[in-house]
Amino acid sequence: MIERFASTGLITDATTNPLFVSQAGLSGDARYVAFVDKAISYAKANADGDDAVLELAMDRLAVELGLEIVELVPGYVSTEVDIRASFDTAESLR
């Protein structure tokens, strides 16, 4: 969807959030499936224990989608943090 609107020149910036990340991951689109696979591989290799794999995979998936959007949108791309961290600066930065 972003690709379609960005190509018109009508949007200059974009924001994504954890819900959009989750929906993209479940869409079945081959591009997003590849992002999910890459995020899971990254998390398995870098998480601090088995309990942290899912959280790190979701964070990495947000990064992968953000990197894709940066290629489409000429302006700023913002990725929102999990709402549970929205008032916790240290957690948001982590």
Side-chain angles (χ1 to χ4, degrees):
M1 177 89 60
I2 292 174
E3 186 173 17
R4 183 176 60 167
F5 287 110
S7 69
T8 67
L10 297 174
I11 62 171
T12 57
D13 304 303
T15 299
T16 188
N17 64 43
L19 177 61
F20 295 154
V21 171
S22 169
Q23 289 174 336
L26 296 172
S27 71
D29 182 306
R31 291 180 302 173
Y32 300 126
V33 169
F35 293 153
V36 170
D37 290 343
K38 189 173 181 180
I40 291 170
S41 294
Y42 176 86
K44 285 181 177 179
N46 294 284
D48 292 329
D50 291 341
D51 292 340
V53 171
L54 178 60
E55 183 179 352
L56 185 56
M58 287 301 295
D59 288 348
R60 185 62 193 200
L61 181 56
V63 169
E64 294 295 331
L65 289 172
L67 290 170
E68 179 75 7
I69 295 168
V70 163
E71 296 297 321
L72 302 172
V73 177
Y76 292 103
V77 175
S78 170
T79 300
E80 296 177 13
V81 299
D82 186 309
I83 193 163
R84 294 170 292 186
S86 62
F87 294 102
D88 185 336
T89 302
E91 182 63 15
S92 293
L93 291 172
R94 186 188 68 75

